[in-house]
Amino acid sequence: MVGCTTMGKRNGLYNVIAARFYSRIAPPPPAYAQPVIRVTNNVAHLGSPKEGPKPRQLLSLPPFPGLPLPGKNLLGDPRRLTAISWVKYYFNDMSGENIESHFKKGLVYVECQSSCDSFEIKGLGKLVRKIKPHDAMEEGARIHVPVSIAESRISKRFDTIPSGTLYPNADEIDYLQRLVKFKDAALIVLNKPPKLPVQGNMPVHNSMDALAAAALSYDYDEGPKLVHRLDRESSGLILLGRTEESVSHLQWLFSNLNKAKSRCKAWNDACEATYQRYWALVIGSPKEKEGLICAPLSKVLLDDGKTERIILSGGSVFEPSQEAITEYRVLGPMINGCSWLELRPLTSWKHQLRVHCAEALGTPIVGDYKYGWFVHKRWRQMPRVDIEPTSGKPYKLRRPDGIDVQKGSVMSKVPLLHLHCRELVLPNIAKFMNVLNQRSESHHRPTTTSEPSDLLRFVGAMPNHMKISWNLMSSCLV
C-alpha cells in the first residue's frame, strides 16, 4: 500500500489531502462500450454489453524435452506424443477431467514463431496460438496453461501424525502406510508431509526412519532405510531402500561425489536422467525468469556450536566450501508480492534450495524464517488490489468458501514452509539389480513393450497448506 499526500491553499490555510493507492502501477482507464438493447420480461431496455470471458493467469510448462519421457510408456506411435498427453504427464497428480475441460474451452496455448492464427498475450511478450488436444508435440515447444488447471480440492480434514512412541502403534502404522506412493522389491517412495522429522535422535521417536523401519517392512525381515533427506518443515517425495544393495546404489546415486561409469550403458543413461524438481512459493520474483545458480555454500556454527547455519561462501581459500548448483524457473507472474518457482538441484547439500532462494536470488521461501526472517518482517500478507500482468486489469486474491486460510497457507499469520519435492525421476533399481551385481561387460538387450521401463517417475501432491496458497493465488479479476 502506497500513500500519497498533496497540499492546497485556501483562505490562507493549507488543507492536506491524503490519497491511498493499492498498487504502484496505475490501473488502466475503463473501457466504455456502447449500450445494447436487452429484453427482460418482454420489455426492451438499454443495458451494458455482456462481458466476455475474463483472462486467466498463465502457467508456463518447461520446454518439451522430446521422446522418450521418463516413466512414460507410449501406446501406438512411439515417435508421437499429443499435447494433452504431455500436459497430463506434467500434471500427473491432477485430475484428468480438469485438464480435458481446459482443452475443450480453448485455454491451452503453445508458443509459435508466426502463423495466421497466432496472437500475443499482454504481459507474456510472445506469440502463441491455441493448441488442440491431439496436436503432436515438437521438441522444444513450450505450452502455457491457466493457473486454474492445477487447482485441487482441499480436504477439510488435516492429517496430523499421532504422538510417537518407541514402538509405533496401529494408528502410526496406518498413517505411514497411507503415505506410500510406490513399492517394489528394491525401494519405497513416500510423500512426506510437513512437520515430520526425517531422522530423529534420542528424544524424537516419531521420525521417518524410526517409523518406517517398524511399519514398512511388509514381507521383509528388516525395515527400509533412508536414502536422502528432506528438512523437517518441507514436504515431498522421499526414497527408502529395502535391501542393502538397493540402499548402496541409491545413496551413490544421490551423492555429490564424482560418479564412475558402469559397464552397463543403460544404467549410465538412466543415472544421467535422474533428477528432482521442487515447487516453492517465494517472496518477490527473480529478475530473470529462468537461470542457473552456481553459488558455493559454507557452514558456520552459532551459539557455541549448538546451532548451525548455511551461508554463501565468500570465496576465500581458507574457508571450506561446497559447490552448489541449482536450476530455477519462474512458473508464472508475481501475485500479491509472491511468485511460484520450479527448482531443480544439481547438487545435494543441506538447505541448498533455501539459501539459494534467499541469498542468491533475494527471494526467500514463504515460511522460511531461518533464512528470510527480515524479509518476512517487511512482507505484507493482506490482500491488495493489483494489476493482472496478462490483461492489465485489477485483481485481488479470492477466499474460496469453506476454506480455512489459517492452516499454514500464504494468508495465515504464520505460514508454513512452502517447499515441496514434487517430481522425482530415477533408475528402475529393481530392473538393474541383477545386472549391477553380475557386473557383466555388456548389457545391450533389445527392449520390448513387455519389459519394465529403465526409469521410474513419481509426482507427489502438494500438502494442504500449499494447495490452499495455490488456489488463493489463482487470481480472480475484480
Side-chain angles (χ1 to χ4, degrees):
M1 185 176 295
V2 180
C4 177
T5 304
T6 61
M7 300 182 65
K9 186 176 180 181
R10 182 181 179 184
N11 298 330
L13 298 176
Y14 284 89
N15 296 328
V16 179
I17 304 174
R20 300 174 64 188
F21 301 95
Y22 290 93
S23 174
R24 296 180 180 178
I25 306 175
Y32 296 100
Q34 294 295 330
V36 297
I37 298 177
R38 295 190 176 278
V39 179
T40 305
N41 296 330
N42 296 326
V43 177
H45 61 89
L46 290 177
S48 59
K50 185 178 180 181
E51 295 183 359
K54 295 181 179 179
R56 293 168 169 81
Q57 290 187 73
L58 294 182
L59 171 72
S60 64
L61 273 63
F64 180 62
L67 297 175
L69 293 175
K72 176 72 173 178
N73 295 323
L74 295 177
L75 300 177
D77 189 355
R79 298 168 298 179
R80 183 178 184 272
L81 187 74
T82 61
I84 192 170
S85 298
W86 165 238
V87 176
K88 286 183 177 181
Y89 173 85
Y90 185 78
F91 295 107
N92 190 32
D93 56 330
M94 303 301 172
S95 168
E97 296 180 357
N98 188 29
I99 296 175
E100 293 170 3
S101 174
H102 281 72
F103 271 97
K104 291 179 181 178
K105 296 177 181 178
L107 301 176
V108 183
Y109 310 97
V110 63
E111 292 182 9
C112 59
Q113 298 297 331
S114 61
S115 62
C116 58
D117 56 349
S118 64
F119 57 94
E120 182 177 350
I121 297 180
K122 187 176 180 181
L124 192 61
K126 297 179 181 179
L127 288 176
V128 297
R129 63 175 177 85
K130 294 182 180 180
I131 187 171
K132 297 179 180 179
H134 298 294
D135 288 351
M137 291 296 300
E138 298 180 359
E139 187 171 351
R142 188 188 291 271
I143 282 183
H144 298 269
V145 295
V147 177
S148 57
I149 203 170
E151 289 187 359
S152 54
R153 293 183 179 181
I154 309 298
S155 173
K156 294 185 179 181
R157 177 178 177 268
F158 286 78
D159 290 330
T160 55
I161 188 169
S163 59
T165 57
L166 273 175
Y167 301 98
N169 54 39
D171 290 337
E172 292 172 336
I173 292 176
D174 179 67
Y175 173 83
L176 204 63
Q177 289 181 350
R178 282 188 280 120
L179 301 179
V180 175
K181 286 189 62 68
F182 177 82
K183 173 176 67 72
D184 65 3
L187 56 87
I188 294 177
V189 180
L190 296 178
N191 191 8
K192 171 191 165 315
K195 295 186 177 182
L196 177 62
V198 172
Q199 194 166 18
N201 46 32
M202 289 303 294
V204 179
H205 301 309
N206 62 335
S207 61
M208 179 71 76
D209 57 345
L211 289 174
L216 299 180
S217 59
Y218 294 103
D219 53 345
Y220 281 48
D221 295 334
E222 296 182 359
K225 297 181 180 179
L226 285 170
V227 174
H228 65 104
R229 302 179 183 179
L230 292 177
D231 296 338
R232 180 183 183 273
E233 297 83 5
S234 61
S235 59
L237 299 173
I238 192 168
L239 280 174
L240 298 96
R242 302 194 69 188
T243 63
E244 292 184 2
E245 293 82 4
S246 63
V247 170
S248 175
H249 290 305
L250 289 170
Q251 287 178 343
W252 171 85
L253 185 66
F254 284 90
S255 67
N256 292 298
L257 302 176
N258 294 325
K259 301 180 177 64
K261 294 290 184 180
S262 169
R263 295 178 178 178
C264 177
K265 182 178 182 302
W267 167 258
N268 294 333
D269 294 340
C271 290
E272 292 180 358
T274 301
Y275 65 83
Q276 292 174 286
R277 281 193 178 130
Y278 290 73
W279 276 10
L281 180 64
V282 299
I283 302 175
S285 182
K287 295 181 180 178
E288 303 294 334
K289 295 301 181 183
E290 54 186 311
L292 186 68
I293 305 172
C294 300
L297 305 177
S298 299
K299 180 172 65 174
V300 295
L301 298 179
L302 306 173
D303 297 335
D304 297 330
K306 296 180 181 179
T307 60
E308 63 182 26
R309 182 183 177 90
I310 309 299
I311 61 174
L312 294 183
S313 175
S316 172
V317 295
F318 303 102
E319 181 183 9
S321 61
Q322 303 161 335
E323 182 183 10
I325 305 174
T326 303
E327 289 182 357
Y328 76 92
R329 186 173 66 88
V330 180
L331 292 177
M334 186 167 64
I335 310 162
N336 203 51
C338 300
S339 56
W340 288 95
L341 300 186
E342 184 180 75
L343 305 168
R344 179 182 174 183
L346 303 184
T347 53
S348 303
W349 298 113
K350 182 178 181 181
H351 295 176
Q352 173 179 325
L353 299 181
R354 296 167 63 178
V355 176
H356 276 179
C357 286
E359 300 189 15
L361 295 179
T363 55
I365 300 175
V366 172
D368 187 2
Y369 306 104
K370 183 170 186 176
Y371 297 103
W373 171 250
F374 293 104
V375 178
H376 277 78
K377 289 180 65 177
R378 298 194 305 267
W379 178 44
R380 295 294 180 263
Q381 301 164 267
M382 296 304 296
R384 65 188 185 202
V385 177
D386 214 333
I387 301 302
E388 216 284 330
T390 60
S391 64
K393 295 184 178 182
Y395 74 90
K396 65 180 179 181
L397 292 185
R398 60 190 173 93
R399 292 175 177 264
D401 295 335
I403 295 298
D404 186 0
V405 298
Q406 296 298 332
K407 292 293 186 179
S409 71
V410 67
M411 295 300 297
S412 64
K413 295 180 180 178
V414 184
L416 298 178
L417 183 68
H418 283 58
L419 179 63
H420 176 71
C421 181
R422 178 182 177 270
E423 185 179 2
L424 176 63
V425 172
L426 73 158
N428 190 344
I429 300 293
K431 176 181 178 180
F432 288 107
M433 192 62 65
N434 294 332
V435 175
L436 296 174
N437 292 338
Q438 291 174 1
R439 301 181 184 276
S440 57
E441 295 188 1
S442 61
H443 300 278
H444 298 283
R445 301 185 304 273
T447 57
T448 62
T449 55
S450 60
E451 283 189 350
S453 174
D454 291 347
L455 291 171
L456 299 175
R457 178 179 181 265
F458 308 100
V459 177
M462 291 188 294
N464 280 336
H465 72 279
M466 292 185 67
K467 287 182 180 178
I468 295 174
S469 298
W470 183 279
N471 291 357
L472 286 170
M473 297 182 67
S474 298
S475 68
C476 178
L477 299 182
V478 179

